[in-house]
């Protein structure tokens, strides 16, 4: 936000309060709201503005989940595309609930629900029209509550996207704001009388002119930014976060937090004010026991992973090196080896997600090379951090060609070999199924011990049964040729992970082991026991494009 906003907003505070009262009286309906930020007027909301901005106090909710549940792998679920329970061609919350046993069997410990609140586009989901309501196509609050109950009964936590930076242009609050400074919500968004010049965000002008002024929208005119210099805005979002936490939600993925405050055309990304606000939100969520927060912060993710800001953030940049390493790129292999020597172990790792800027579907990036696919999976599922698997990744779902924007990444989940419905729905799916659904689907791969799905289950089983892989240290990373090795230790348990990214067999020397240490093969299971030399040295030779995991226990 340009720095000249703050004085201008302050100069009209008194007139705005009067305008709010006048607007309410003209429409004949006043609804004072308790719990606004100190110094903010009690906001009178006309019935014509159908929005709940009431204060929501904290209702402390205990947790039945394991203390370290958030260190296991998460599944990122696009509800619209996951499972349709009623045959209307659109996925829903009941559909997700129906597949919880599948997720538990896979080894998933947490579920990230992409936006499930009411939205304008009903697909992308990030143009929110009600921050305290379920998208009608996905079901009801009761369906949400049941999903939480069933997930918790299986030891899985549930977090959801919270789109805090902006609302939809058709959100009732912004619709009211477009009436001009007399609107009770005008100061809830970022306005200037005349659009400032010199702005460029990702090649676009973020300002949109209207008859009542120009508004700011980082992600396009259809999603105007909130004005976080207005205390009432923060108070509203804090209450909305508590609304879901009070129902038992286990945390949030906070969307686009580096963009909460823009100071000017030069200083618009990742400002100190945005970090401070994110820290306040994280503290609010952390006031509930065993809740988890992960932030989308593309520019400086490791900074946002600091406990005083977010605690965890997606490891943007690492995903591209993992994919390149799987292809045998030596520079990328070294980058993968080095990452957690400096990055916090709370980073959220991934190889793909719902945004095309993070890359195409993993299957498409690797051109269907299943050996490389398994290497990429092992590269982040066995390392520090919290892995986030994008739905369908575990079966090698391909993207849909010839669709715009992010749509190629958001095909209906391939549950069966049906090339028309994919087992996703009994009706007509809202979008074509993945082009490789006939072979790469859950039903077929569950029956194949050599499938991608079976490999993911084995990697997650290792992570879930070996505490050193869940929460252990990251020690002695070493790259020799195209072979990467590292050790992870927790208490008396130590695990050695070795990955050969090359297509030919290759050797690596592991130093620094205990003299004569015996290492048992955890993957593949049943391999022979290896022993370090009297000098603590072990020489290993691995087949091309292979993964080996060894454990040493006292």
């Amino acid at each position: 936000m340009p720095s000249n906003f703050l004085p201008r907003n302050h100069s009209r505070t008194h007139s705005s309060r009067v305008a709010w009262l006048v607007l309410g009286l003209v429409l004949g309906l006043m609804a004072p709201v308790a719990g606004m930020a100190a110094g903010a007027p009690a906001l009178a909301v006309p019935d014509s503005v159908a929005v709940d901005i009431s204060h929501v106090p904290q209702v402390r909710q205990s947790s039945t989940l394991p203390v370290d549940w958030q260190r296991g792998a998460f599944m990122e679920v696009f509800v619209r595309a996951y499972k349709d329970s009623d045959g209307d061609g659109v996925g829903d919350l009941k559909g997700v609930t129906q597949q919880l046993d599948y997720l538990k069997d896979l080894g998933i410990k947490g579920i990230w629900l992409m936006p499930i609140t009411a939205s304008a586009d009903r697909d992308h989901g990030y143009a929110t029209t009600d921050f305290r309501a379920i998208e009608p196509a996905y079901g009801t609050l009761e369906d949400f509550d049941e999903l939480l109950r069933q997930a918790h009964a299986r030891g899985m936590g549930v977090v959801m996207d919270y789109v805090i930076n902006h609302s939809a242009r058709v959100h009732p609050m912004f619709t009211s704001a477009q009436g001009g400074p007399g609107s009770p919500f005008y100061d809830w968004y970022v306005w200037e009388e005349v659009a400032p010049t010199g702005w460029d965000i990702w090649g676009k002008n973020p300002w949109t002119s209207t008859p009542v002024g120009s508004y700011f929208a980082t992600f396009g005119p259809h999603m105007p930014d909130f004005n976080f210099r207005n205390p009432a805005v923060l108070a509203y979002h804090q209450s909305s976060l508590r609304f879901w936490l009070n129902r038992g939600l286990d945390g949030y993925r906070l969307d686009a937090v580096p963009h909460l405050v823009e100071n000017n055309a030069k200083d618009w990304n990742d400002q100190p004010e945005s970090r401070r606000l994110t820290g306040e939100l994280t503290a609010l969520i952390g006031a509930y026991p065993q809740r988890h927060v992960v932030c989308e912060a593309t520019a400086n993710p490791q900074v946002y992973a600091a406990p005083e800001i977010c605690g965890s953030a997606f490891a943007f940049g690492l995903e591209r090196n993992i994919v390149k390493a799987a292809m045998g790129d030596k520079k990328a292999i070294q980058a993968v080896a080095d990452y957690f020597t400096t990055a916090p172990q709370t980073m959220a790792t991934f190889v793909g997600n719902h945004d095309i800027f993070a890359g195409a579907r993993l299957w498409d990036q690797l051109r269907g090379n299943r050996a490389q696919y398994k290497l990429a999976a092992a590269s982040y599922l066995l390392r520090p951090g919290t892995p986030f698997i994008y739905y369908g990744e575990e079966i090698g779902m391909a993207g849909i060609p010839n669709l715009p924007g992010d749509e190629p990444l958001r095909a209906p989940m391939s549950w069966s070999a049906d090339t028309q419905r994919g087992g996703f729905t009994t009706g007509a799916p809202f979008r074509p199924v993945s082009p490789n659904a006939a072979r790469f689907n859950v039903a077929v791969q569950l029956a194949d011990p050599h499938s991608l799905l079976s490999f993911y289950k084995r990697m997650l089983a290792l992570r879930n049964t070996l505490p050193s892989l869940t929460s252990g240290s990251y020690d002695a990373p070493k790259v020799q040729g195209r072979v990467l090795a590292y050790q992870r230790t927790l208490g008396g348990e130590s695990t050695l992970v070795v990955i050969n990214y090359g297509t030919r067999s290759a050797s690596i020397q592991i130093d620094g082991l205990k003299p004569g240490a015996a290492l048992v093969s955890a993957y593949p299971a049943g391999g022979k026991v290896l022993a370090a030399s009297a000098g603590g040295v072990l020489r290993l030779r691995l087949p091309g494009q292979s993964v080996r995991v060894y454990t040493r226990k006292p």
Side-chain angles (χ1 to χ4, degrees):
M1 297 175 194
S3 58
N4 62 349
F5 280 1
L6 193 55
R8 188 172 68 82
N9 285 348
H10 281 190
S11 69
R12 68 164 180 258
T13 299
H14 176 72
S15 62
S16 292
R17 292 181 183 182
V18 173
W20 294 356
L21 291 171
V22 171
L23 180 61
L25 290 170
V26 168
L27 293 172
L29 289 162
M30 297 286 289
V33 178
M36 301 300 288
L43 185 58
V45 184
D47 272 4
S48 59
V49 182
V51 59
D52 173 15
I53 63 166
S54 61
H55 173 67
V56 178
Q58 177 179 345
V59 178
R60 186 174 176 85
Q61 294 283 337
S62 61
S63 175
T64 61
L65 297 175
V67 173
D68 62 348
W69 71 271
Q70 71 276 13
R71 300 305 296 270
F74 277 68
M75 180 66 73
E76 178 187 357
V77 173
F78 180 34
V79 173
R80 184 177 179 84
Y82 202 62
K83 180 67 174 178
D84 170 23
S85 71
D86 57 12
D88 66 355
V90 175
D92 44 52
L93 293 172
K94 287 184 177 179
V96 178
T97 302
Q98 290 173 358
Q99 304 306 317
L100 290 178
D101 285 339
Y102 163 76
L103 293 171
K104 181 182 179 181
D105 181 63
L106 178 59
I108 296 300
K109 298 298 182 180
I111 302 169
W112 159 22
L113 299 175
M114 286 173 60
I116 59 171
T117 46
S119 71
D121 54 61
R122 301 182 180 178
D123 185 358
H124 183 258
Y126 290 90
T128 310
T129 56
D130 191 335
F131 289 86
R132 303 181 188 179
I134 297 292
E135 166 60 40
Y138 294 168
T140 65
L141 282 171
E142 290 71 25
D143 295 335
F144 173 78
D145 294 340
E146 181 64 14
L147 171 58
L148 292 184
R149 281 193 292 270
Q150 294 296 334
H152 293 165
R154 292 163 174 80
M156 292 186 287
V158 179
V159 305
M160 63 181 258
D161 249 306
Y162 192 86
V163 188
I164 191 167
N165 177 73
H166 51 265
S167 76
R169 180 169 51 194
V170 296
H171 192 292
M173 291 192 295
F174 190 73
T175 300
S176 172
Q178 288 179 296
S183 163
F185 292 107
Y186 192 76
D187 278 345
W188 283 47
Y189 295 87
V190 181
W191 292 90
E192 263 294 325
E193 293 176 3
V194 178
T197 59
W199 284 75
D200 185 325
I201 296 183
W202 305 307
K204 296 182 179 179
N205 179 8
W207 293 93
T208 298
S209 296
T210 79
V212 297
S214 297
Y215 68 86
F216 184 87
T218 302
F219 297 97
H222 62 300
M223 294 189 292
D225 281 31
F226 283 108
N227 174 19
F228 277 96
R229 298 192 192 278
N230 181 347
V233 171
L234 178 60
Y236 165 73
H237 283 294
Q238 289 172 326
S239 279
S240 295
L241 290 169
R242 287 190 289 263
F243 174 87
W244 299 102
L245 292 167
N246 288 348
R247 302 189 81 92
L249 184 70
D250 301 296
Y252 288 97
R253 181 255 191 191
L254 296 178
D255 181 66
V257 288
H259 304 293
L260 298 180
V261 175
E262 290 81 14
N263 284 310
N264 53 58
K266 177 178 176 291
D267 303 312
W268 58 267
N269 193 6
D270 188 21
Q271 297 301 290
E273 297 92 332
S274 294
R275 296 183 183 185
R276 177 183 58 78
L277 285 166
T278 302
E280 290 183 23
L281 298 171
T282 300
L284 180 154
I285 299 164
Y288 292 77
Q290 291 180 230
R291 267 43 177 196
H292 183 60
V293 185
V294 58
C295 284
E296 181 197 36
T298 55
N300 294 295
Q302 292 187 32
V303 170
Y304 277 77
E308 68 273 14
I309 301 180
C310 189
S312 180
F314 288 100
F316 286 103
L318 176 60
E319 80 281 5
R320 296 191 184 278
N321 281 321
I322 289 175
V323 173
K324 290 178 181 178
M327 296 177 177
D329 184 301
K330 287 187 175 181
K331 185 177 179 180
I333 295 169
Q334 189 65 57
V336 170
D338 293 342
Y339 186 81
F340 278 106
T341 60
T342 57
Q345 289 206 9
T346 56
M347 298 302 295
T349 56
F350 65 102
V351 290
N353 65 17
H354 60 283
D355 283 320
I356 198 68
F357 73 75
R361 279 276 184 180
L362 184 59
W363 178 266
D364 300 316
Q365 291 190 63
L366 296 175
R367 297 179 176 85
N369 187 313
R370 281 179 282 180
Q372 293 178 351
Y373 204 110
K374 292 178 180 180
L375 296 177
S379 296
Y380 82 107
L381 296 179
L382 302 178
R383 290 167 62 77
T386 298
F388 279 76
I389 302 168
Y390 187 42
Y391 82 98
E393 175 197 313
E394 75 275 20
I395 56 173
M397 268 179 61
I400 310 172
N402 305 317
L403 292 181
D406 301 320
E407 292 183 20
L409 307 173
R410 303 187 187 188
M413 177 69 176
S414 300
W415 296 103
S416 76
D418 182 348
T419 57
Q420 298 301 311
R421 299 179 180 87
F424 161 73
T425 181
T426 57
F430 73 98
R431 183 170 290 147
V433 301
S434 175
N436 66 353
R439 291 182 57 200
F440 292 87
N441 61 75
V442 172
V444 167
Q445 294 203 23
L446 279 175
D448 180 1
H450 303 293
S451 68
L452 293 175
L453 180 58
S454 294
F455 183 79
Y456 271 74
K457 289 179 67 174
R458 292 189 185 101
M459 293 299 103
L460 292 175
L462 288 172
R463 185 179 184 92
N464 292 337
T465 56
L466 296 174
S468 56
L469 291 182
T470 303
S471 305
S473 59
Y474 180 69
D475 306 316
K478 180 179 182 179
V479 175
Q480 190 170 318
R482 289 186 170 84
V483 182
L484 163 64
Y486 58 87
Q487 299 173 52
R488 302 196 61 192
T489 301
L490 185 68
E493 179 186 275
S494 182
T495 300
L496 171 66
V497 178
V498 190
I499 303 175
N500 181 4
Y501 292 100
T503 57
R504 298 179 179 179
S505 63
S507 299
I508 189 170
Q509 178 174 302
I510 310 298
D511 303 304
L513 299 171
K514 286 188 176 181
L519 286 89
V520 178
S521 179
Y523 181 82
K528 66 178 182 179
V529 177
L530 304 178
S533 70
V537 175
L538 179 68
R539 292 179 176 85
L540 288 173
R541 188 166 189 86
L542 277 75
Q545 297 180 314
S546 65
V547 178
R548 296 289 184 269
V549 180
Y550 300 92
T551 60
R552 178 185 59 79
K553 296 184 179 180

